[in-house]
Amino acid sequence: MIRVSTKFDRPDEAVVKQLSAFSSATIHEAQGRLGALDSAIKPVDHTMSLCGPAFTVQCAPRDNLMLQTAIAYARPGDVVVVSAGNYEEAGSFGDVLANACQSKGLAGLITDTGVRDTEDLRALGFPVFSRSVSIKGTVKETVGPMCEPVTIGGVLVRPGDVMRADADGVVVVRREDSADAVTASQQRVDVEAGFIAAYRAGKTVVEMCGLAPVLAAKGLVIEE
């Protein structure tokens, strides 16, 4: 007998909403360039975006038994995060399961394996981020962990960690660091706004980034 608990602490909903206002790249940079999943994990459509607590599940390659189980037990607002061994030649998720997710109010799906029915997924608008697209079917045979830490895209993701994904990629924020990530992300946005304003006012990149001494130290001489 294998016992699986679906109980875990989720982040404050207000903090999740605040994080959703920032891009994945901004959050990644703001938290010290941590948490970025492998860049091979991309959205099915560039307009797709999600932010929510991770509901983690471990699947055997080419097997979506535990994925379907996770969908059944995840709560509204959760992001189903699937670790399946980076197996690209399987379409473990498609339009039927996307409808199941959307009907439950789930925030999205992130998987390191393949998905299919991508035209239907785009039309449905349910956010799906995957390593590949494959029409090859899966089996339903292997039970495994759910709501336990998993590794996906080279990053450890724990249940309740915040997943933020958009056109540029996927980043994970540790649940206990989520409020600090909001503050750090806003600070970065404010700094970048200052740079943009300075550039529009005529300042150069070399001036604003203090590159002159760096270039000089490296022996670069620019003749105008």
Side-chain angles (χ1 to χ4, degrees):
M1 179 181 295
I2 301 175
R3 294 185 181 276
V4 175
S5 174
T6 61
K7 297 179 181 179
F8 61 88
D9 293 330
R10 289 170 170 80
D12 184 88
E13 291 183 7
V15 173
V16 173
K17 184 175 181 180
Q18 289 174 311
L19 276 174
S20 70
F22 303 107
S23 71
S24 60
T26 293
I27 295 171
H28 169 59
E29 293 284 355
Q31 61 179 5
R33 296 186 175 177
L34 297 174
L37 272 61
D38 189 336
S39 61
I41 298 177
K42 287 284 195 272
V44 169
D45 185 88
H46 74 278
T47 63
M48 291 179 173
S49 175
L50 63 78
C51 190
F55 189 101
T56 59
V57 61
Q58 184 82 47
C59 293
R62 208 174 65 81
D63 190 322
N64 74 348
L65 174 61
M66 292 309 298
L67 167 56
Q68 296 206 27
T69 305
I71 292 170
Y73 286 94
R75 296 181 186 177
D78 285 350
V79 176
V80 178
V81 178
V82 186
S83 176
N86 297 321
Y87 189 82
E88 296 186 357
E89 295 299 321
S92 63
F93 182 91
D95 65 321
V96 175
L97 290 180
N99 273 278
C101 291
Q102 196 171 63
S103 296
K104 289 196 65 176
L106 304 187
L109 174 118
I110 300 171
T111 179
D112 66 359
T113 187
V115 300
R116 61 187 184 183
D117 306 324
T118 55
E119 288 191 7
D120 293 321
L121 293 177
R122 293 185 188 99
L124 188 64
F126 181 74
V128 175
F129 291 71
S130 69
R131 178 171 289 275
S132 66
V133 174
S134 173
I135 62 174
K136 297 177 182 178
T138 57
V139 297
K140 298 171 181 61
E141 295 182 356
T142 309
V143 297
M146 189 167 65
C147 298
E148 293 184 10
V150 300
T151 298
I152 176 173
V155 178
L156 182 70
V157 177
R158 306 168 307 163
D161 286 345
V162 182
M163 308 302 298
R164 176 70 178 106
D166 55 24
D168 290 335
V170 185
V171 66
V172 57
V173 179
R174 292 170 63 90
R175 180 181 59 80
E176 63 269 29
D177 297 333
S178 55
D180 289 340
V182 170
T183 301
S185 295
Q186 185 59 60
Q187 290 173 344
R188 182 174 177 81
V189 167
D190 293 342
V191 168
E192 290 183 339
F195 272 79
I196 292 171
Y199 293 148
R200 289 179 174 174
K203 294 287 186 179
T204 70
V205 174
V206 171
E207 288 177 293
M208 292 301 298
C209 296
L211 297 181
V214 176
L215 297 174
K218 294 183 179 295
L220 180 65
V221 177
I222 300 175
E223 298 179 351
E224 296 186 80

